[in-house]
Amino acid sequence: MKEFAYQRAADIRDALIAGGGGARYLAGGTNLVDLMKEGVEAPTRLIDVRRLPLDGISEAADGALVIGATTTNSDLAAHPEVRRRYPALSQAVLAGASGQLRNMATVGGNLLQRTRCAYFAAQECNKRVPGTGCPAIAGAHHNHAILGWTRSCVATHASDMAVALTAFDAIVRYETLDGAGEIPLSEFYPPVGDTPHVETALPPGALITAVVLPGAAASPRSRYRKVRERASYAFATVSIAAAFTEGSVRIALGGVASRPWRCRTAEAFLLDSPGSFRAAAEAELSAAEPLPGNGYKVTLARNLIETVLKELQP
Amino acid sequence: MNAVGVAQPRIEGPAKVTGAARYAADVPIEGLAFGAVVLATVTRGRIRDIDVDAVRNMPGVLGVIDHRNAPRLNPKAGGFFGPDGQLQLLQDEMIPFAGRPVALVVAETLEQAQAAAHVLPVTYDEEPHDTNFTADHPAGRPAMTIFDEPVDVGDVEAELAASSVVVEERYRTPEEYHSAMEPHSATVWWDGERLEAIDSNQGPFVIAATLATLFSLSLEKVRIRTEHVGGGFGSKGLCGPQLILAAMAAHRFGRPVRVTLTRTQVFLTTAMRPATDQLIRIGADADGRLRAIWHEPAFEISPLVEYIEGCTELTKTLYAARAIRTRLTAVPLDILPPYSMRGPGAAPGSFALESAMDELAERLGIDPLELRLRNEPAAGPVSGLPFSSRNLVECLREGAHRFGWGTRDHRPRLRREGSLLVGTGLAATSFSAGAFPSSATITAEADGTFTVAIGATDLGTGARTALTAIAADALEAGTERIRLRISDSDLGPAWSAGGSRGTTSWAWAITEAAEKLRGQEWRGTVTIDTTQSLGGLPGRERHAYSAVFAEVTADPATGEVRVRRLLGMFAVGRVVNPLLARSQVIGGMIGGLSMALHEEGVRDPVSGRHVNADFAGYHIAAHADVPDIEADFVPDHEPGIPVGVKGAGEIGNVGTAAAIANAVWHATGVRQRSLPIRLDRVLE
């Protein structure tokens, strides 16, 4: 590990001032510290934001649920209002990592975790050093993307939580020295294009302060189902967050793209043909471009959409 | 009162759970320096340059050892399989596989050593490589014959031609990794002319002998201790790179040096079970009596060192076929040299044999249990030798009874629970038993205790506790009067904890030493060596046996397979300590479950490198994958070996994968002939 400076931020402004250049914000550190040990991340400075007053979950006047950025994954999953109104989110968080990691990992950090592509962890690639290629495309890509990828990168996003947040149209709030801002989760992770190293739409130096769950998206009839190669402690092969709300179905997939994949095509299809789950799934996945080694994910995603919606439908 | 046969918790258990027990990387040493290993990142080629100057002035760096300044090693050093090129570290610029150590950076602290190792510039001239294992690879050639020589009994072709039913299938298993919890670590220093080491390994004497040869030292000049070991599963049976490199560094820098491999380095540069591709043909009469078994496995090796994955061990002894033919093919590739992993040969071999037997039962329309019972041999089907004791039938019958096998409908894909398909399967197994020469010293102390010294190792299995009980009974004393000393090469020649022959070999030595001490009326000191008495062991088919039963669920919509129930009945000779033995075989069954469903080393098809060399990518069974496991023992006794033991180290691994694969077929109707049974292989 490269040597680095460590500084505990006194307040948000203090953090933002320190946060430029080669600095990284440190919250739970459950992904960042591992990547530093592997040499993938080499920040000159860590700005510890864990003790900033950004934790806790509160209800806004408009019925939205505001989740502070340093709320731990464990607290998020256990929160009664989250469990009641957004059960798929609670389930998604509990499907990830382990109890120990969830006690450390925070909501803001979870959104910023890096891909678990094995090549990314072990060698240079376009995501680490632009122009160095994507070894996974011709390589071992059994667990890589089938949707929205490009020749520059075929990695998937690792978060379970973000998949559920995407289905619930969550909004990310952040601060910069120039003021506060918001980004809908649907726009938070930009398309891969030829810039796979650009992983979020956050302005440079921005600090995530909260994630907002709109009240209108609440759905007690929602579910997260994660398929993986073992019963626990593995990243998703394919996962799904699905929610029935009044007059609509919300679907997001994990493990299939560089970001949580909101299934707008399938959702629109179901507005016209309610209950045609398999056809809706096939319409969504007609855009899939599997590689030789991961075509099974298309079948798996189709089956998941169909079976989960069938089980969940009112 | 006998101590053998009594369930006793591990003697060192409290020390381990409180953290007081020190493993090799934990022992405090004055003046310690740390070495960080740099591994080759190309699969074949030559080192062009290592720019040592780039790191020489980094904080704390003491120096770098590479092929240009490393001490010359003795190329004759090796083990069972002959001279071992894997031991010849930093001797030349050649890169025979990705993961070969190319340098050791030594610094004042671990962090400083790692920081410099991470940025040490190493350039290579790459050469074409081949890591693509296939059974018909043109480089394939007959495997070496030690432990598993080819046999050809009866007329296989004629028997197959005369069979009512013939199963002819290929079964494949991938590269699998030992994945012991404790990474390999060694601390080495020179005490005058003597090399002292604390190392994590499976047998300090064997390792000391290898290290002495390697560095051209006399054996008395090398002392290796290994008090606690956090698992080995075969990967610590060899003189490891951590020890060789730490020995080089301790010599060069004149102070103690510790080298601990990272988890990824353990994957890349210690050992693995080679991939196998096994062709099996089994022919039987309509009533299920076997006419022929023809088993031709291929496996991969490295040109650096010979090795045999003896996949046909069970084929030659388990069933009474009239004709049996085996032939093993080794395919040299540019890969990490494989080495014994728990149940070597037998684990992948039994997956093939016991899957094929299940397919035969299906095609014959016979209960798979009954098929096994009908082919119980009266003597070794190849050797013609009598069995020393054979209780496979008891394992099968008792296991079937406890599992509820009798009510099984043998047709596949009939049981549904919601979206899940449910199935059951079984496998029969054996694992060879025996003993290797060992020495032991017993001293009758003035205070009425006995000091029992033997170069045994406790890998975490409870060997210390088991040997204390064996010594107590042999010395007709209570266990409180036994002072056991193990894990030290100075205690004399002893076999390692390996090959399911640790307890048998050590029990033999302790028993023989106690006999001699009895002859001295329990006074003084005796030292014995069992080499001679082992030679008197009559030729027999000598094996442990087990029957494994599995119940699985499979979700055809997602491909997820979960094991719901595992039951193993074992015949392992006399059980020294039921608590520890049960733990041992359960651990083996979990290893088998992991082999069935999860474990798979993945190589990049372009670079040839191991892609998933960490626990995020290389999956072993997590707690949630492991059901409540039932394991028990049928009465058994090995007449040729003192205490009547056979060894329980590896049989638990063997058979479980086939039992699970057979259960997946019973659930889904689809045969799984390649491991692991990944969800994409089950998904519909």
Side-chain angles (χ1 to χ4, degrees), chain B residues 43 86 96-101 131 175-178 265-274 300-302 304-305 333-339 603 608 610:
Chain B
T43 297
Q86 166 80 325
F97 65 92
R100 175 78 153 181
T131 58
E175 291 172 355
E176 294 157 355
Y177 289 81
H178 305 72
Q265 290 174 339
V266 170
F267 273 101
L268 294 177
T269 200
T270 60
M272 63 173 178
R273 195 200 297 281
E300 50 181 6
I301 59 166
S302 156
L304 286 180
V305 54
L333 294 169
D334 303 314
I335 56 166
L336 170 70
Y339 193 66
R603 275 182 195 281
H610 182 186

Side-chain angles (χ1 to χ4, degrees), chain A residues 1 3 38-39 118-119 122-123 135 138-140 142 225-235 237 296 299-300 302-304 307, chain B residues 111 114-115 118 264 555-558 560 562 597-598 602-606 609 611 615 619-622 624-625 678-680 683-684:
Chain A
M1 193 187 296
E3 287 205 11
E38 296 297 327
Y119 294 99
Q123 66 186 83
H142 182 77
R225 172 82 161 91
K226 179 178 183 177
V227 176
R228 45 186 154 178
E229 292 281 4
R230 61 182 166 192
S232 79
Y233 208 51
F235 293 94
T237 300
Y296 75 98
T299 309
L300 178 53
R302 181 202 67 194
N303 291 354
L304 265 185
T307 56
Chain B
E111 291 77 11
Q114 287 180 336
H118 192 75
T264 293
D555 185 339
T558 64
E560 293 161 302
R562 302 285 183 250
L597 298 186
H598 307 299
V602 177
R603 275 182 195 281
D604 182 87
V606 179
R609 299 199 311 220
V611 175
F615 282 154
H619 285 177
I620 56 177
D625 293 293
R678 294 192 315 244
L679 56 89
D680 61 291
L683 178 68
E684 294 175 7

